């Protein structure tokens, strides 16, 4: 197989899957990893992909846009519903639970069991609204500037409110996550809140669809090793799973 043929195959895989693993591709094609890496360098020089640790990601997945909250609930709905259902199995027995402003958090709020009491802090307006209908939940609404795209509170007031709390378990969302770039989002104010939560919660659980893995957005707010658990759907590739397990992350599949 000529180099140009390999490179065309690489691009086709990227368009279909969003990312490729150099070792997986070398085994499949019967070529050395070094040959695949040289192809990736050539394609990156042509601005056709972005090399990351272990492989490459589709250039179209870099700096991905953040859809408004009203649109998020319509994206990957089945996967989000499964993730929300599994997340219920990891609710803390006591202490303060934090639910970040995210469409999956709203789904969890709508499914909370009524047989025990919860103390839940959130910076999500829609999350708080869903929780307000439950008599067994005490809601701590984080103040701050309302960021309309995510319907979340951010900036100094939000950060000061969060610094006064001790969080036992945090359910977090993410616009994008990868082994190479860590946890990223599209807004600096949103990133500041996420970064603070990662630092004050005893246990951090990321709720994210597998389709978000390998994507990279503008603002980096944390590393994979800052997380204790990932709850994702069953389309996460084996190579992605292996990459994440290297960081000691517990992965739960919905």
């Amino acid at each position: 197989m000529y180099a140009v043929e390999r490179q065309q195959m690489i691009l086709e895989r990227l368009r279909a899957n969003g990312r490729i693993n150099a070792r997986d591709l070398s085994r499949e094609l019967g070529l050395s990893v070094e040959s695949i890496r040289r192809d990736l360098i050539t394609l990156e020089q042509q601005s056709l992909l972005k090399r990351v640790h272990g492989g490459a990601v589709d250039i179209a997945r870099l700096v991905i846009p953040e859809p408004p909250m009203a649109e998020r609930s319509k994206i990957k709905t089945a996967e989000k519903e499964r993730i929300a259902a599994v997340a219920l199995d990891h609710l803390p027995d006591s202490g303060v639970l934090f639910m970040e402003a995210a469409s999956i958090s709203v789904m969890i709020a709508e499914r909370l069991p009524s047989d025990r009491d919860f103390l839940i802090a959130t910076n999500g307006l829609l999350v708080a609204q869903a929780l307000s209908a439950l008599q067994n939940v005490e809601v701590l609404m984080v103040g701050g500037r309302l960021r309309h795209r995510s319907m979340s509170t951010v900036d100094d007031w939000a950060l000061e409110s969060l610094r006064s709390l001790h969080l036992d378990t945090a359910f977090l969302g993410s616009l994008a996550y990868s082994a190479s770039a860590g946890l990223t989002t599209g807004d600096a104010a949103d990133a500041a809140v996420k970064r603070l939560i990662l630092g004050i919660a005893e246990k951090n659980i990321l709720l994210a669809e597998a389709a978000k893995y390998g994507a990279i957005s503008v603002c980096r707010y944390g590393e994979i090793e800052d997380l204790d658990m990932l709850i994702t759907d069953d389309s996460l590739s084996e190579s992605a799973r292996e990459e994440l397990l290297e960081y000691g992350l517990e992965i739960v599949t919905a």
Side-chain angles (χ1 to χ4, degrees):
M1 182 181 294
Y2 294 109
V4 66
E5 293 176 308
R6 294 197 308 269
Q7 292 163 16
Q8 182 60 39
M9 178 178 290
I10 288 171
L11 291 175
E12 290 173 355
R13 296 292 174 82
L14 280 176
R15 301 299 179 263
N17 303 317
R19 63 180 288 112
I20 59 155
N21 180 277
R23 291 191 180 279
D24 290 348
L25 197 57
S26 70
R27 286 194 293 265
E28 180 181 341
L29 299 180
L31 298 169
S32 68
V33 175
E34 288 71 25
S35 294
I36 299 298
R37 286 173 178 163
R38 284 196 295 270
D39 288 334
L40 297 181
I41 292 172
T42 298
L43 292 169
E44 184 177 48
Q45 290 172 343
Q46 300 173 30
S47 298
L48 295 173
L49 54 75
K50 172 66 176 177
R51 286 188 302 140
V52 297
H53 176 71
V57 296
D58 187 351
I59 200 76
R61 288 197 168 204
L62 301 180
V63 194
I64 58 174
E66 179 187 4
M69 183 62 79
E71 296 179 12
R72 295 187 203 179
S73 59
K74 303 175 185 177
I75 302 172
K76 298 285 184 181
T77 304
E79 290 88 341
K80 289 179 179 178
E81 289 178 346
R82 295 204 304 272
I83 292 170
V86 171
L88 294 175
D89 296 330
H90 297 276
L91 293 171
D93 293 327
S94 60
V96 182
L97 168 65
F98 182 85
M99 294 173 61
E100 191 183 4
S103 54
I104 295 180
S105 294
V106 176
M107 293 178 179
I108 295 172
E110 294 171 343
R111 294 165 172 77
L112 280 177
S114 59
D115 59 349
R116 55 194 171 106
D117 296 334
F118 294 96
L119 177 58
I120 301 177
T122 183
N123 71 325
L125 189 62
L126 299 183
V127 178
Q129 185 177 20
L131 293 172
S132 68
L134 306 176
Q135 297 299 315
N136 61 319
V137 178
E138 182 177 352
V139 182
L140 301 177
M141 183 68 209
V142 175
R145 175 177 65 86
L146 179 63
R147 182 171 179 264
H148 288 87
R149 181 165 288 272
S150 58
M151 296 300 287
S152 62
T153 52
V154 295
D155 289 344
D156 288 346
W157 285 358
L159 297 176
E160 287 303 314
S161 296
L162 286 167
R163 289 192 184 101
S164 69
L165 297 177
H166 172 83
L167 303 177
D168 294 279
T169 303
F171 281 158
L172 301 161
S174 187
L175 183 63
Y177 66 111
S178 69
S180 60
L183 311 171
T184 57
T185 191
D187 179 80
D190 184 44
V193 170
K194 292 173 180 290
R195 188 178 299 115
L196 179 58
I197 295 166
L198 284 173
I200 64 176
E202 293 290 336
K203 183 174 185 179
N204 290 300
I205 302 176
L206 179 66
L207 312 175
E209 309 94 282
K212 292 181 177 179
Y213 184 74
I216 304 171
S217 195
V218 180
C219 301
R220 184 171 185 157
Y221 64 89
E223 309 295 339
I224 298 298
E225 52 261 44
D226 293 328
L227 302 171
D228 298 287
M229 179 185 294
L230 165 68
I231 303 179
T232 188
D233 61 81
D234 57 8
S235 64
L236 186 70
S237 69
E238 189 58 36
S239 60
R241 181 180 293 273
E242 290 176 0
E243 288 176 352
L244 291 169
L245 288 174
E246 290 181 3
Y247 293 88
L249 183 64
E250 181 181 356
I251 303 174
V252 179
T253 302

